[in-house]
Amino acid sequence: WFDQELKTVLGLDVLAEPFDAARGWQVYAAPEADVLVIRRENFAALPAALSEFLGIPEPQVINANIGTEKEYAALYRASLEQLKFPAEFVEAQYASQLSRHFYSVEELAAFRARWKE
């Protein structure tokens, strides 16, 4: 997506620019448009990110369609607690260019420990 959409359409190579993994979001300037990239797990910071990106006061962001609030929440929670993947699969995912770009070494180590069988 980053190559097919942002790079091709906007001339923005997100992977060639640093990403602030500690903050979890980054604003990138492109010739045609600026782009806000935020990791899903950092959505709590979305109001601050939008404020900086748009130059506006922090907007109210409403969470909707939250799995932990659905009728299947207990099953969802149990699935997350029990779900594990083969070590080779986990290593391949977290060795990818995208993983290494958007996550710190410490975050990747924690993810590997969390998801490996």
Side-chain angles (χ1 to χ4, degrees):
W1 186 86
F2 289 108
D3 283 342
Q4 291 177 345
E5 299 295 330
L6 294 182
K7 193 173 182 180
T8 301
V9 176
L10 298 178
L12 175 63
D13 186 356
V14 169
L15 299 179
E17 301 291 330
F19 182 83
D20 187 348
R23 185 168 67 169
W25 58 275
Q26 190 69 38
V27 174
Y28 296 95
E32 299 295 324
D34 292 345
V35 175
L36 169 64
V37 175
I38 185 167
R39 301 183 311 187
R40 169 61 190 98
E41 60 270 31
N42 295 102
F43 269 19
L46 187 57
L50 287 171
S51 175
E52 182 177 313
F53 180 62
L54 299 172
I56 62 172
E58 287 191 14
Q60 180 182 9
V61 176
I62 299 169
N63 289 325
N65 197 22
I66 301 169
T68 56
E69 296 176 359
K70 301 288 186 177
E71 61 187 44
Y72 53 79
L75 180 58
Y76 179 70
R77 189 171 28 263
S79 297
L80 286 177
E81 289 170 2
Q82 296 173 23
L83 188 62
K84 298 288 184 184
F85 296 98
E88 311 81 47
F89 176 79
V90 172
E91 288 300 328
Q93 303 316 302
Y94 294 127
S96 74
Q97 181 183 20
L98 289 173
S99 293
R100 292 188 326 270
H101 184 75
F102 292 110
Y103 296 93
S104 70
V105 171
E106 296 80 14
E107 287 173 316
L108 292 173
F111 295 155
R112 285 180 172 100
R114 160 64 182 95
W115 294 110
K116 278 186 188 179
E117 286 182 318

